[in-house]
């Protein structure tokens, strides 16, 4: 997975087994965490007694998230690690009271020494995770996994085991919370968005239903705390009053695109919304669709029937893999490109333009080139949402066709005896006259 994010002034990107952070406002040494060098999950006594083989992962980073203040970061990988970091004033893994001996790696820089705990501070999850989300109070980390469960891990006491909060009947793809931490909002592969009370998740507040494919992205705009944006594999984004489960608006992304050429028709029809990102001031929402070399921007209106209004469309030279807004409102886009995989865009005069002179962009690109091998492998990986598309089969048409064939055959069989009897009667009438 190749992904982008911001934690304060740090640009975070994951590529393969690595998580890399680069400061975009001042000259500081980049931070690198490699999951492949971390200790593996210890084998349990139960596995040892049963002789079961230990399940190993690829150490590939599956997801990461940053806290609302930008001071915390969490990541999870294919080996079921859950690692928690503090980002300011320096990068370090949050210490825990572990029974195992700590192992530290000193990373000297020009300003200070980062002490990074390798895996002894890591918690291990039961199943591979699909999404992470900090509570707005930053006291809990919510972890959604492939089995449909959501666990809550304490930030203040990271040595505690995760608490099972809720479960879906299918794979979870996104999870978020309301700004007041009253509700937890989760989305799954079966087109459902579920709104539950965070303190008592067995109390379901509402369901937001209407998507025709899996729900892949959720976003609560910072300026509209009672609204929810959802993106789906059906190529639409929908605006909800999530507390009451009421749909306010639906927008088909493919209908907003320019007329595609014959070669692009299939890509346009199968557009999958993979990322929703909102600027810090809540003014713009950027929508990314897989395999579509363009970004669609929206703005919010308080009044009127259409509260979500299309603003502009930004064509890109290559298909985007991920995007994120920085604290200043600039948009950073990671693209499937060998030459310049990372580009920055700024809003000027009601349109978005590329900004190659962005401060410290050259420093960020230097770090990208240092880890180009891992990044290139991540860029070449297949899209993570392709296999989630639900196939539809039109067996009604086939049934009606076969039914029509049966009726015609029955009519022919009935017509056969009547025709034979009519012929016989005709012959009997004709014989006496001869």
């Amino acid at each position: 997975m190749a992904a982008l994010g911001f934690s304060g002034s740090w640009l975070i990107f994951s590529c393969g087994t690595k998580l890399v952070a680069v400061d975009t406002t001042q000259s500081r040494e980049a931070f690198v965490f490699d999951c492949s060098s971390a200790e593996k999950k210890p084998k349990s006594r139960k596995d040892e007694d049963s002789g079961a083989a230990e399940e190993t992962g690829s150490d590939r980073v599956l997801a990461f998230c940053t806290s609302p203040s930008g001071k915390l970061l969490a990541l999870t990988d294919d080996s079921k690690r859950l690692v928690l970091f503090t980002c300011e004033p320096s990068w370090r893994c949050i210490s825990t009271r572990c029974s195992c001996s700590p192992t530290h790696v000193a990373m000297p820089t020009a300003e200070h020494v980062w002490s990074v705990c390798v895996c002894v501070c890591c918690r291990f999850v039961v199943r591979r995770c699909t999404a992470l989300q900090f509570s707005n109070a930053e006291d809990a980390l919510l972890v959604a996994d492939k089995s449909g469960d959501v666990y809550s891990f304490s930030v203040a006491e990271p040595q505690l085991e995760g608490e099972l909060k809720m479960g879906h009947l299918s794979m979870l793809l996104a999870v978020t919370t309301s700004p007041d931490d009253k509700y937890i909002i989760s989305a799954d592969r079966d087109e459902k968005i579920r709104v539950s009370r965070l303190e008592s998740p067995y109390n379901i507040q509402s369901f937001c239903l209407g998507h025709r494919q899996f729900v892949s992205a959720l976003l609560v705009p910072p300026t509209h705390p009672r609204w929810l944006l959802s993106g789906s594999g059906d190529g639409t984004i929908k605006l909800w009053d999530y507390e009451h489960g009421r749909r306010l608006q639906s927008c088909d992304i493919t209908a907003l695109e320019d007329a595609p050429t014959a070669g692009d028709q299939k890509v346009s029809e199968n557009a999958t919304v993979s990322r929703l990102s909102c600027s810090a001031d809540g003014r713009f929402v950027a929508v990314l669709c897989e395999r579509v070399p363009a970004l669609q921007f929206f703005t919010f209106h308080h009044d009127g029937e259409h509260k979500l209004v299309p603003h502009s469309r930004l064509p890109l030279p290559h298909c985007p893999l991920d995007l994120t807004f920085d604290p200043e409102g600039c948009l950073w886009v990671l693209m499937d490109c060998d030459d310049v995989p990372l580009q920055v865009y700024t809003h000027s005069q009601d349109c978005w333009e590329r900004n190659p002179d962005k401060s410290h962009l050259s420093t960020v690109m230097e770090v990208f080139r240092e880890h180009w091998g891992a990044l290139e492998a991540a860029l070449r990986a297949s899209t993570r949402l392709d296999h989630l598309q639900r196939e539809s089969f039109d067996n009604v048409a086939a049934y009606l066709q076969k039914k029509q064939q049966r009726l015609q055959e029955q009519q022919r069989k009935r017509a056969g005896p009547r025709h034979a009897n009519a012929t016989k009667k005709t012959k009997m009438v004709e014989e006496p006259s001869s």
Side-chain angles (χ1 to χ4, degrees), residues 2-6 64 216-219 231-232 237 272-278 285-290 295-296 321-325 332 384-385:
L4 286 181
F6 263 91
F64 73 85
S216 50
L218 297 174
L219 173 67
S232 169
I237 60 172
T272 295
V273 177
S274 58
R275 181 69 183 272
L276 300 172
S277 184
C278 187
V285 172
V287 180
L288 183 152
C289 295
E290 286 191 342
L295 300 177
Q296 180 67 46
L321 297 173
D322 202 6
L323 58 84
T324 185
F325 284 95
W332 297 66
R384 65 185 181 94
L385 299 177

Side-chain angles (χ1 to χ4, degrees), residues 326-391:
D326 65 17
E328 298 176 355
C330 296
L331 182 68
W332 297 66
V333 184
L334 179 64
M335 288 180 283
D336 188 357
C337 172
D338 293 335
D339 298 331
V340 186
L342 185 65
Q343 294 188 8
V344 183
Y345 296 86
T346 57
H347 184 257
S348 176
Q349 298 181 352
D350 215 32
C351 66
W352 290 86
E353 299 177 346
R354 183 183 173 188
N355 184 5
D357 301 326
K358 174 69 176 176
S359 176
H360 293 275
L361 179 58
S362 59
T363 303
V364 175
M365 290 306 301
E366 288 179 3
V367 176
F368 259 75
R369 294 187 181 95
E370 291 178 10
H371 304 279
W372 177 249
L375 179 59
E376 190 175 20
L379 293 176
R380 298 295 173 262
S382 60
T383 52
R384 65 185 181 94
L385 299 177
D386 281 344
H387 66 287
L388 300 177
Q389 288 286 350
R390 188 184 299 276
E391 297 292 339

